[in-house]
Amino acid sequence: GVTVYAPTIFRMAGFDAVKSQWISGLNNVFYMFATLVCVFTLDRIGRRWTLYWGAVGQGVAMFLAGAFARLGKAATASGDLDKASSYGAAAASFVFIFTSVFGATWLTVPWLYPAEIFPLQVRAKGNAWGVFGWSIGNGWLTLLCPVMFSAIGENTLHSFGACNNLAIPIIWALYPESNQRTLEEMDLLFADPTPWVWNAEKTFRR
């Protein structure tokens, strides 16, 4: 949503249409290079910690981007263009930070994790369902974003920040660590019939 609607977000931050397009392109370049971070960190800190720090970084960036966008709109309405420009630059910076953190964390792990956790006999189908779910999520969010931006403006970014916060307890409770475990060991990790991480780890140790 942030990548697709970056020009809208930058216009909300006070930039004109042409400048918004340029900044969006630059944002995507940062995004591309940020994906290289995972090459060096993913196997060192694991999948869960990558998702944790990504969710925290993305959540903070979205809340601050939304707050500065709101301040920029208020400054523009009151005629203080210098302040509006400063707030717009701050909002844009946090969108850049969000995109970079996303590229380094949440872009990578959801593609890797299904390939690691599914048993061999259903791995291809499991990955196919993962891509199917990702496509549906992308599709409905792309359709929903213009409605959200139109109805609640910069609070759309606050809702994105809240979703990142909500992801943290979900990872903690439902996503066991797959790092440094063989594909054969993953079957042992999921031998417990309950979905909870603590039960999975107990079963794995046993």
Side-chain angles (χ1 to χ4, degrees), residues 7 10 31 36 39 68 79 82 106 109 134 137 141 149 155 160 165 174 177 183 185-186 188 192 199 201 205:
F10 291 130
Y31 179 33
L36 295 173
V39 173
F68 281 116
D82 285 340
W106 278 76
V109 176
W134 172 84
L141 185 63
F149 281 121
N155 285 324
F160 289 166
N165 289 347
L174 299 174
E177 183 57 72
L183 296 178
E185 287 174 339
M186 293 307 299
L188 301 176
D192 188 88
N199 289 340
E201 291 293 349
R205 284 194 298 272

Side-chain angles (χ1 to χ4, degrees), residues 16-17 19-20 29 33 43 46 49 55 67 85-86 99 114 125 145 196 198-199 201:
D16 62 42
K19 202 165 187 179
S20 294
V29 172
F33 285 115
D43 287 333
W49 278 104
S85 178
S86 298
T99 308
K125 288 180 181 176
C145 272
W196 311 115
W198 46 91
N199 289 340
E201 291 293 349

Side-chain angles (χ1 to χ4, degrees), residues 83-104:
K83 260 190 181 177
S85 178
S86 298
Y87 289 140
S93 298
F94 282 108
V95 173
F96 270 67
I97 290 169
F98 170 88
T99 308
S100 296
V101 172
F102 174 73

Side-chain angles (χ1 to χ4, degrees), residues 7 9 15 18 22 28 48 62 81 86 96-97 99 102 122 128 138 156 159 173 177 181 183 187 192-193 203:
I9 296 169
F15 297 101
V18 174
W22 274 104
N28 285 339
R48 280 163 59 91
M62 280 292 94
L81 297 184
S86 298
F96 270 67
I97 290 169
T99 308
F102 174 73
V122 294
N138 259 1
T156 303
S159 69
E177 183 57 72
R181 285 169 167 161
L183 296 178
D187 289 347
D192 188 88
T203 303

Side-chain angles (χ1 to χ4, degrees), residues 15-172:
F15 297 101
D16 62 42
V18 174
K19 202 165 187 179
S20 294
Q21 294 287 351
W22 274 104
I23 297 171
S24 297
L26 189 59
N27 185 41
N28 285 339
V29 172
F30 273 78
Y31 179 33
M32 176 185 68
F33 285 115
T35 60
L36 295 173
V37 173
C38 256
V39 173
F40 303 101
T41 62
L42 194 59
D43 287 333
R44 290 176 183 270
I45 65 174
R47 285 55 166 150
R48 280 163 59 91
W49 278 104
T50 298
L51 293 175
Y52 283 147
W53 83 260
V56 170
Q58 290 171 171
V60 169
M62 280 292 94
F63 282 122
L64 290 173
F68 281 116
R70 178 175 292 178
L71 289 170
K73 281 169 70 175
T76 301
S78 66
D80 192 343
L81 297 184
D82 285 340
K83 260 190 181 177
S85 178
S86 298
Y87 289 140
S93 298
F94 282 108
V95 173
F96 270 67
I97 290 169
F98 170 88
T99 308
S100 296
V101 172
F102 174 73
T105 59
W106 278 76
L107 175 68
T108 310
V109 176
W111 292 103
L112 177 65
Y113 198 71
E116 295 180 325
I117 65 171
F118 283 113
L120 187 59
Q121 63 268 29
V122 294
R123 186 162 294 133
K125 288 180 181 176
N127 277 324
W129 278 108
V131 174
F132 177 71
W134 172 84
S135 302
I136 289 177
N138 259 1
W140 75 257
L141 185 63
T142 301
L143 294 172
L144 184 62
C145 272
V147 178
M148 292 177 70
F149 281 121
S150 175
I152 59 176
E154 68 280 352
N155 285 324
T156 303
L157 304 183
H158 294 146
S159 69
F160 289 166
C163 287
N164 279 282
N165 289 347
L166 182 62
I168 294 171
I170 293 172
I171 297 159
W172 173 76

